[in-house]
Amino acid sequence: MGGQGRDGGKAKPLKAPKKVQKELDEDDKAFLEKKKAEAKARADMAAIAGGKKGPLNTGAQGIKKSGKK
């Protein structure tokens, strides 16, 4: 058992070459800032929406059901 190779097992993934860091001009920087701001706003809205628990209709009549039986 101990002397077997990797032939039958999972293949080792190939390493991707490192990406070359490119220079960003003003338009690219502005785009990235806008994207960050939108992501932050979306996360804030998700936190606000996720904070509400329980049924939306909290009145005395309860949850409305359809008339079909």
Side-chain angles (χ1 to χ4, degrees):
M1 271 192 46
Q4 296 176 351
R6 297 181 58 100
D7 296 337
K10 185 177 178 184
K12 200 171 190 180
L14 298 174
K15 289 188 177 180
K18 292 185 178 180
K19 293 182 180 178
V20 178
Q21 191 72 356
K22 66 175 187 172
E23 293 295 321
L24 299 177
D25 61 356
E26 294 300 318
D27 291 338
D28 290 337
K29 289 180 184 176
F31 175 72
L32 289 176
E33 287 295 323
K34 183 179 175 187
K35 206 160 104 173
K36 273 186 189 178
E38 286 178 358
K40 184 179 184 311
R42 192 174 296 117
D44 291 343
M45 291 298 285
I48 291 170
K52 295 182 180 178
K53 301 291 183 193
L56 295 176
N57 185 359
T58 57
Q61 71 271 11
I63 297 174
K64 300 260 184 181
K65 295 184 180 178
S66 66
K68 295 181 181 177
K69 290 189 177 182

